[in-house]
Amino acid sequence: MPFKSLDELRAACLDLPAGSDTAAKAVARRQDTLTKPQGSLGRLETIAAWLARWQGRDMPKLDRVKVFVFAGNHGVTAQGVSAYPSEVTVQMVANFAGGGAAINQLARIAGAELDVIPLDLDHPTGDFTQVPAMDEKAFLAAVSAGYDAVTKDLDLICFGEMGIGNTTPAAAISAALFGGGAEKWTGRGTGVDDAGLKRKVVAIEAGLKRHAATLADPLGVAAALGGRELAAIFGATLAARHLGIPVLLDGFVCTAAAAPLARLHPTGLAHTIAAHVSAESGHRGLLEALSLPPLLDLGMRLGEGSGACLAVNIVRSALECHARMASFAEAGVSEK
């Protein structure tokens, strides 16, 4: 386990490489020579520079793209916050293994490997309305599982999640980190009715009150109000930064999982791009709070890494244009 204490983890979150200005500037210079008006490819141009910065290469590559889907179960489901029972988490992990989920199809189309990592599904986290979701040992184990999953031979990573009830901890973390109260961040998740939505708000308010003493510490927030799959996403996001691998964040849960890193370090999520904005209430506001403009807005709220996988195709398009377009000189096209 790479992190044996919260102090070790905190130190790792404060020691983040800045990326390569040299590589990013090389991409910008090449973009200005290609057969198009400068800046006319919009975010495709900045995506190419983003890849270069965090890969540390003048010419980025996307030979190995991987989707990590972390799965966990949540004790707070005892408060009636989900339309589905918690056993669906295990059933969906089996569906991933059988190739029957949306993420299986989207990963294949994106040319991405898929790695599904279940995290102690037989033992849900604590009900955070009563106790911390995870004690220090459990939290560090989950963070370490995510950190260890990432290998340095990857060129781009997507994160996804599966965990019945996990929009509740995501909303709780968002409220704890950015304020505004439970109602601002709470949505219908798996499709709860009005009574279920009210139960979610009440549960989150109870969690915020019970763990008020920890809310000043982003790591304390992630442990007390989060879940194993969220902690693993946090750890994997940190590992990607240390290893120089750019990251596509999926929806509300993934963004909330990574958000504590932005509260610990002013550029904590600079190596990430928000793949899409979810239809789940709270995600748009969370992206705004993190200054992460989304690439896509398709009304999706599935999770699993589905929006991130769709965005891989945009990133591939950005790289193809950057690497394969001719310059004005090569094409014999007059510049202005």
Side-chain angles (χ1 to χ4, degrees):
M1 190 168 75
F3 304 113
K4 296 180 176 60
S5 71
L6 287 178
D7 286 342
E8 282 189 16
L9 176 57
R10 196 182 316 277
C13 293
L14 297 176
D15 183 18
L16 301 181
S20 172
D21 282 341
T22 300
K25 289 176 181 177
V27 166
R29 287 194 299 270
R30 174 170 166 77
Q31 286 286 334
D32 287 346
T33 71
L34 301 181
T35 47
K36 59 178 177 57
Q38 290 184 6
S40 61
L41 284 177
R43 287 194 73 181
L44 293 188
E45 299 186 22
T46 59
I47 287 170
W50 169 76
L51 280 176
R53 175 180 298 280
W54 297 108
Q55 290 184 0
R57 301 183 181 107
D58 290 3
M59 182 57 70
K61 64 178 185 177
L62 290 172
D63 295 341
R64 287 201 68 193
V65 178
K66 196 165 191 176
V67 183
F68 291 96
V69 178
F70 297 99
N73 271 324
H74 298 267
V76 74
T77 57
Q79 302 300 318
V81 298
S82 176
Y84 290 85
S86 58
E87 56 261 32
V88 170
T89 303
V90 175
Q91 294 163 358
M92 281 303 298
V93 167
N95 191 29
F96 298 148
I103 191 58
N104 298 96
Q105 322 322 318
L106 296 173
R108 186 181 65 253
I109 291 297
E113 304 169 44
L114 177 61
D115 190 0
V116 180
I117 302 176
L119 299 160
D120 205 6
L121 298 183
D122 292 336
H123 299 93
T125 53
D127 177 354
F128 67 58
T129 68
Q130 308 296 319
V131 296
M134 294 165 285
D135 62 18
E136 181 175 331
K137 181 179 178 181
F139 175 65
L140 291 172
V143 170
S144 296
Y147 194 95
D148 286 341
V150 179
T151 55
K152 64 182 180 181
D153 57 339
L154 300 175
D155 301 316
L156 178 68
I157 297 173
C158 303
F159 294 131
E161 40 63 40
M162 179 64 219
I164 292 301
N166 66 9
T167 58
T168 300
I173 288 171
S174 300
L177 294 179
F178 298 102
E183 286 193 24
K184 175 178 178 178
W185 303 102
T186 307
R188 296 185 183 272
T190 52
V192 294
D193 58 16
D194 289 347
L197 183 62
K198 185 174 181 179
R199 288 193 294 271
K200 287 181 74 171
V201 170
V202 169
I204 291 165
E205 288 176 343
L208 294 172
K209 182 177 180 180
R210 178 166 291 276
H211 305 293
T214 70
L215 300 189
D217 176 16
L219 294 180
V221 167
L225 299 173
R228 289 189 182 92
E229 77 274 37
L230 282 79
I233 290 167
F234 176 85
T237 304
L238 178 60
R241 180 62 167 266
H242 287 160
L243 294 174
I245 305 169
V247 171
L248 289 173
L249 292 173
D250 193 45
F252 183 45
V253 176
C254 281
T255 308
L261 188 56
R263 300 299 275 174
L264 288 161
H265 192 289
T267 68
L269 296 182
H271 65 304
T272 74
I273 282 179
H276 76 128
V277 57
S278 169
E280 176 66 11
S281 176
H283 192 211
R284 193 178 298 274
L286 183 56
L287 293 178
E288 290 172 356
L290 293 167
S291 299
L292 290 174
L295 286 178
L296 299 167
D297 184 352
L298 299 174
M300 297 171 64
R301 55 180 181 86
L302 175 62
E304 302 180 6
S306 52
C309 247
L310 283 173
V312 171
N313 299 293
I314 294 176
V315 177
R316 289 194 183 280
S317 297
L319 181 55
E320 286 295 294
C321 287
H322 176 72
R324 298 184 183 277
M325 282 181 68
S327 68
F328 283 97
E330 290 167 341
V333 174
S334 300
E335 299 187 56
K336 66 178 181 181

